Amino acid sequence: MKDADAGTVHREFVKGNEAICHGALAAGCRHYFGYPITPQNDIPEYMSTHMAAHGGVFLQAESEVATINMLLGAAAAGKRVMTSSSGPGISLMQEGISYMAGSELPAVIVNISRSGPGLGGIAPSQGDYFQAVKGGGHGGCRIPVLAPHSVQEMYELTMHAFELADRYRTPVMILGDAIIGQMKEPYTPGLCEPPGPIDKPWATTGCAGRPRQHVKSLYLKDDDIERHNWKLHEKLQRIEKAEVRAESYHLEDARIVLVAFGTAARVCKTAIQWARKEGIAAGMIRPVTLFPFPKTLVHETAGKADLLLVVEMNTGQMVEDVMISTSHHDKVRFMGKPCAMPTPDDILAEIRLLAGKTS
Amino acid sequence: MSGGGKQHFDKVVFKRPDSLVDVKTHFCPGCHHGIAHRIVAEAIDHFGMREKTVGVACVGCSVFLYDYIDVDVVEAPHGRAPAVATGVKRALPDHFVFTYQGDGDLAAIGTSEIIHAANRGENLTVIFVNNTTYGMTGGQMAPTTMLGQKTSTSPYGREFSNDGYPIKMAELLAQLEGVAFSARVATSSPAQIRKAKEAVKTAFDMQIRRMGLSVVEFLSTCPTNWGMKPLDARNRVLGEMIDYFPLGTFKERKQADFV
Amino acid sequence: MRDMDKTNTDVIFAGFGGQGILMVGNLLSIAAMEEGRQVTYFPAYGVEMRGGTANCTVVISDDEIGSPVVGHPRACVVMNAPSLEKYQSMMSPGGTLVVNSSLVEKGDVKRTDLSVLFVDANEIARGVGSLQLASMVALGAYAAKTGVVGIDTLCGCLPKVVSKKYEKFIPLNISALKEGASFA
Ligand SMILES: Cc1ncc(C[n+]2csc(CCOP(=O)(O)OP(=O)(O)O)c2C)c(N)n1
Ligand code: SF4
């Protein structure tokens, strides 16, 4: 499709990492804390250059442990806050993320993920799916996870993340990867509305004119902690009901349905275009929210399609959520490539195989 | 000069230390990490401990220590080398254990580990390479970055009002009772390199004599991220860096006080 | 299935750091965007850059672009010998290979199924006014040979990639692009 609006709409050509910064600033984030790690250094570097001009605070912490706790503090003070990191740093943040989930503090945490485990490497990877989606922190902590697949979405979903964070009083994670962070492509700023200002009467801003209040996750008395857990659970259920997002790509008539997110989904789109040229009815479900997972869409689609092919840049993680979503386990296939981009040719070959074609 | 095989000489007056692997390093031109590596390897040879040494590599440009120094090496998470080394040393008390850490690694994310290893008086030797920046990740601000120094996360120059002051680790660690030896050296001239070798040997000796933790801070270069030619980088060490980070020995224990 | 249509294409620029590899990749991308196309640009990043090499991949299409990284590029612009060695075996048959013959031996091109253009980019750049312009010359040659974007668009987009400090060199860059183009 030729971009018909190209002449009239203002398009910027930036890295995905930079689009995240644009989204955060547009959403009113004025407090950024971070620590260097490849492949997300463009984010702290951009913030260090531009935050002051927006009247905000950029601070490089001495570690990710400190970073996430600075975030906790500024969020408790009622500010829109963000940090970004990659695997090793996100692991160090898990303690603080759990405390923030327990204390019901809004914040946006960006993971431009790389290969692991351990120091791993800087190659792109989707190996952090479980950590992000199943709650990397202790004590049953779970937070919404958004998975952008384009520079446009890096911008838009960052804004959306701030909105979700404030609305549900929860940390929200953006799960990108090295490809989507490092690549540049045109994007159109201003296509979606930034979240408006929101009242935070719970914030610890000094008790002038009101009784003192606390931001905390410790509940020792009676059955307070049980009640607190049920409350958090009820919140997650509301999120699951209202906040699922997924893209349906050529789903209407699809016999072979790919399920993929983020960068892997981009490659799948190319493979699907090629497959359709060969007369194979392929399509895709692309979860945009990884938690909450688009269970219903997956279940309904599994009922209609011949096969589901889950494609991930790891050895098989989201495929478990696909299995949980549907009882048609016999229809689910998996194709994984840990720590590298699958090529469209690889995926097309798999689609052909599943379609019983050997062209 | 012919590029052919190695020439034969009658008398060896200078050679690669046995503990230094004969490969090309990945360090940038003008980087002093390579000099520090050689000094460490020479000291290992000097004490004849190659086979009884365990090195602990940090995360930074020196993470490939295991490719260059011909001893067993454990890789630690970013900043945690002193804790990992503590584990190794407690398990193998008769072995020689050293860490090799950058300034982001030791003086930022790993401050807690180094302070407590030092305070426990662990019998470890710490080689600390201060190049006033995060080399591996592309030149961000480090705790050691000089006031006014431009880095990719202090694009307008480091200001104390936002980022505090460059931290003087050798002096700070010298305050702790558990530290047996703390010195700062540089490798920007032959005379400095000679002194650096002496300091590293003393530091190793402290561990062998079970005197406590020994640390040698190297003032190093990062021409790549400083945006300087190698010679200018060397001159920066000789000038503003030594002005702020004085060379010398800040502590040298003469006798163990806990035997 | 994969059309070799000249305007839906991908290209890898590769050479030494400091040759302006990332800048010409950016310029081509922005020119394609100006012409209303879909485009992605993907640079080498992190420690990959150590050792003084640089490369980037540009994909240009009329359709939504899937992968910004390509396994079998349809075009390569190689500015030094190591880059030729790395990329020639990966290229799609029939692809376009632009070689900086100032730094690469012509005999090192072993593939016979490619459309090869040798450009004495360093020499031409020196003639235009600065060795720094060699990649710009090569970009001009590539663009003219493939017709992927107009030379005028490239020239018009220069102010978007050249920093304020180097603005005065834009006319030289234009000459370099045009010299390269005349070569194709
Ligand atoms: C938990 C964690 N955070 C961040 C990083 C990214 N990282 C890799 S090396 C490095 C710092 C390197 O700087 P320094 O210690 O000064 O050593 P140099 O490279 O300058 O020798 C950082 C922040 C990481 N690997 N792990
Ligand atoms: S980036 Fe800096 S510290 Fe790292 S190898 Fe290069 S010069 Fe040395």
Side-chain angles (χ1 to χ4, degrees):
Chain A
M1 177 191 64
K2 197 119 181 165
D3 198 331
D5 294 334
T8 51
V9 177
H10 171 65
R11 297 202 295 172
E12 288 196 28
F13 189 68
V14 300
K15 274 192 180 185
N17 282 340
E18 191 176 329
I20 285 190
C21 298
H22 293 187
L25 289 172
C29 168
R30 292 295 177 270
H31 291 78
Y32 174 90
F33 305 92
Y35 187 78
I37 187 165
T38 309
Q40 62 80 51
N41 289 319
D42 316 271
I43 300 177
E45 287 170 6
Y46 184 93
M47 290 305 201
S48 70
T49 309
H50 296 279
M51 200 45 124
H54 287 82
V57 173
F58 164 82
L59 188 58
Q60 183 178 313
E62 72 274 25
S63 70
E64 294 86 352
V65 176
T67 302
I68 194 73
N69 289 295
M70 291 173 182
L71 216 66
L72 191 156
K79 305 296 185 191
R80 284 204 169 123
V81 296
M82 182 171 95
T83 187
S84 55
S85 189
S86 189
I90 297 287
S91 286
L92 285 182
M93 291 184 185
Q94 291 302 337
E95 179 195 47
I97 294 175
S98 174
Y99 274 69
M100 293 181 83
S103 308
E104 299 192 83
L105 287 174
V108 174
I109 297 146
V110 179
N111 180 358
I112 303 300
S113 59
R114 58 188 230 173
S115 310
L119 197 48
I122 58 170
S125 164
Q126 295 183 327
D128 291 354
Y129 180 91
F130 278 154
Q131 186 200 47
V133 167
K134 303 295 176 186
H138 61 277
C141 141
R142 290 192 87 177
I143 60 174
V145 181
L146 311 178
H149 91 315
S150 65
V151 172
Q152 184 75 37
E153 276 189 345
M154 289 288 247
Y155 170 76
E156 290 180 5
L157 291 180
T158 301
M159 284 209 242
H160 183 56
F162 279 99
E163 189 172 324
L164 288 179
D166 278 348
R167 190 182 316 143
Y168 294 99
R169 283 187 61 184
T170 175
V172 176
M173 182 168 283
I174 295 181
L175 184 61
D177 63 61
I179 299 276
I180 205 86
Q182 291 297 323
M183 71 181 280
K184 287 186 178 185
E185 68 183 344
Y187 93 99
T188 311
L191 270 189
C192 69
E193 274 295 301
I198 181 168
D199 247 6
K200 298 184 176 177
W202 47 264
T204 47
T205 52
C207 62
R210 60 159 169 77
R212 66 197 161 93
Q213 58 194 24
H214 309 130
V215 167
K216 66 182 187 78
S217 62
L218 175 68
Y219 294 89
L220 286 179
K221 272 199 220 123
D222 305 329
D223 45 8
D224 278 1
I225 190 64
E226 183 185 347
R227 256 200 304 280
H228 185 54
N229 268 258
W230 283 119
K231 179 183 168 203
L232 295 177
H233 178 75
E234 179 272 332
K235 169 156 80 182
L236 292 178
Q237 282 187 320
R238 273 190 289 133
I239 293 173
E240 289 211 64
K241 217 176 208 158
E243 304 298 346
V244 174
R245 285 193 185 193
E247 181 189 7
S248 301
Y249 186 77
H250 292 300
L251 262 195
E252 319 73 45
D253 61 338
R255 305 308 316 154
I256 295 177
V257 174
L258 280 61
V259 188
F261 70 96
T263 294
R266 291 182 74 104
V267 188
C268 288
K269 283 186 176 177
T270 304
I272 290 166
Q273 288 165 18
W274 292 352
R276 287 199 163 252
K277 280 187 190 153
E278 293 179 13
I280 304 174
M284 176 168 65
I285 296 174
R286 177 174 71 88
V288 174
T289 51
L290 300 180
F291 178 75
F293 193 73
K295 285 185 189 158
T296 314
L297 179 63
V298 168
H299 174 65
E300 286 171 5
T301 310
K304 287 182 278 180
D306 296 338
L307 286 172
L308 299 187
L309 173 63
V310 183
V311 182
E312 294 181 73
M313 285 151 61
N314 56 41
T315 53
Q317 299 190 19
M318 183 179 69
V319 63
E320 292 190 7
D321 277 333
V322 171
M323 291 292 218
I324 290 169
S325 303
T326 173
S327 49
H328 297 284
H329 288 186
D330 53 322
K331 291 191 183 178
V332 179
R333 301 287 184 279
F334 175 73
M335 176 178 180
K337 198 160 167 66
C339 312
M341 293 266 281
T343 66
D345 307 74
D346 293 342
I347 298 172
L348 178 64
E350 191 71 22
I351 295 174
R352 279 187 191 141
L353 208 70
L354 296 179
K357 275 204 174 186
T358 47
S359 110
Chain B
M1 207 170 65
S2 83
K6 286 195 177 142
Q7 252 181 298
H8 187 77
F9 296 97
D10 291 338
K11 193 175 157 205
V12 177
V13 291
F14 187 78
K15 68 178 183 82
R16 177 177 282 273
D18 292 337
S19 304
L20 198 63
V21 182
D22 192 1
V23 290
K24 248 177 91 179
T25 72
H26 72 294
F27 299 123
C28 310
C31 177
H32 288 195
H33 263 307
I35 305 175
H37 275 50
R38 183 185 167 104
I39 291 173
V40 170
E42 282 182 359
I44 294 171
D45 286 2
H46 173 82
F47 290 103
M49 322 181 283
R50 198 185 68 77
E51 292 177 346
K52 275 190 90 172
T53 295
V54 180
V56 180
C58 77
V59 181
C61 281
S62 54
V63 65
F64 301 113
L65 188 78
Y66 44 73
D67 286 338
Y68 306 141
I69 303 211
D70 197 9
V71 298
D72 282 4
V73 172
V74 186
E75 179 192 274
H78 191 25
R80 315 301 176 212
V84 171
T86 297
V88 174
K89 185 76 182 184
R90 296 281 178 131
L92 303 169
D94 293 332
H95 281 53
F96 182 80
V97 181
F98 75 97
T99 72
Y100 186 113
Q101 303 174 256
D103 46 355
D105 194 85
L106 180 137
I109 192 167
T111 343
S112 171
E113 281 74 9
I114 185 62
I115 297 269
H116 288 285
N119 195 49
R120 289 191 305 266
E122 296 291 343
N123 268 306
L124 301 169
T125 300
V126 174
I127 305 296
F128 168 46
V129 178
N130 173 1
N131 59 11
T132 73
T133 192
Y134 287 63
M136 178 171 245
T137 41
Q140 292 81 11
M141 190 186 66
T144 44
T145 294
M146 306 282 288
L147 288 181
Q149 184 181 336
K150 287 186 179 157
T151 70
S152 63
T153 51
S154 59
Y156 308 108
R158 179 178 186 162
E159 249 191 278
F160 71 87
S161 59
N162 198 58
D163 302 310
Y165 297 88
I167 192 166
K168 297 181 182 179
M169 287 310 292
E171 287 89 332
L172 196 150
L173 290 170
Q175 304 302 313
L176 298 172
E177 290 304 333
V179 171
F181 180 76
S182 174
R184 184 180 291 116
V185 301
T187 49
S188 282
S189 73
Q192 285 178 347
I193 292 177
R194 266 196 304 277
K195 282 194 183 157
K197 286 183 185 181
E198 285 316 309
V200 169
K201 277 187 197 151
T202 310
F204 276 38
D205 193 45
M206 289 286 172
Q207 180 178 163
I208 294 164
R209 289 160 55 210
R210 299 176 190 260
M211 299 281 264
L213 187 128
S214 50
V215 55
V216 182
E217 174 173 341
F218 280 70
L219 294 186
S220 187
T221 54
C222 182
T224 302
N225 289 303
W226 294 355
M228 283 185 179
K229 297 208 171 75
L231 264 186
D232 297 335
R234 164 190 172 272
N235 290 336
R236 177 174 184 251
V237 175
L238 293 175
E240 63 163 338
M241 274 175 70
I242 288 182
D243 280 352
Y244 183 85
F245 295 110
L247 304 186
T249 301
F250 302 103
K251 179 154 188 193
E252 184 167 357
R253 178 167 286 147
K254 298 296 177 200
Q255 209 184 339
D257 53 8
F258 51 85
V259 251
Chain C
M1 117 225 112
R2 298 183 71 172
D3 43 46
M4 292 301 285
D5 171 3
K6 295 269 183 225
T7 57
N8 284 335
T9 191
D10 46 66
V11 52
I12 291 179
F13 294 91
F16 296 122
Q19 278 183 315
I21 299 294
L22 302 188
M23 179 174 157
V24 296
N26 257 304
L27 178 60
L28 173 65
S29 307
I30 291 180
M33 178 173 93
E34 284 299 308
E35 292 191 355
R37 317 291 304 286
Q38 305 283 352
V39 57
T40 62
Y41 159 93
F42 187 76
Y45 59 92
V47 272
E48 243 188 296
M49 307 279 282
R50 199 115 339 119
T53 64
N55 72 74
C56 65
T57 306
V58 177
V59 182
I60 298 172
S61 175
D62 287 326
D63 303 315
E64 183 173 355
I65 296 171
S67 177
V69 181
V70 289
H72 302 288
R74 286 185 258 194
C76 280
V77 177
V78 293
M79 295 302 293
N80 63 6
S83 299
L84 176 70
E85 198 184 311
K86 179 166 174 197
Y87 292 108
Q88 75 170 325
S89 60
M90 290 164 56
M91 288 186 66
S92 285
T96 304
L97 176 64
V98 177
V99 179
N100 177 11
S101 48
S102 309
L103 296 181
V104 183
E105 292 290 337
K106 291 187 180 176
D108 287 346
V109 177
K110 302 288 184 230
R111 292 273 297 263
T112 52
D113 56 346
L114 303 173
S115 150
V116 185
L117 179 64
F118 292 102
V119 184
D120 207 350
N122 286 27
E123 276 317 305
I124 299 172
R126 226 177 257 126
V128 172
S130 164
L131 186 58
Q132 303 264 311
L133 298 166
S135 297
M136 221 28 100
V137 171
L139 172 62
Y142 162 74
K145 184 171 168 68
T146 57
V148 59
V149 293
I151 297 295
D152 289 342
T153 319
L154 286 172
C155 294
C157 291
L158 273 167
K160 295 189 179 159
V161 295
V162 177
S163 66
K164 275 266 178 294
K165 201 167 134 202
Y166 295 107
E167 239 169 16
K168 55 179 181 290
F169 296 118
I170 286 181
L172 279 186
N173 280 282
I174 292 179
S175 310
L177 282 169
K178 292 195 166 152
E179 279 295 321
S182 70
F183 209 87

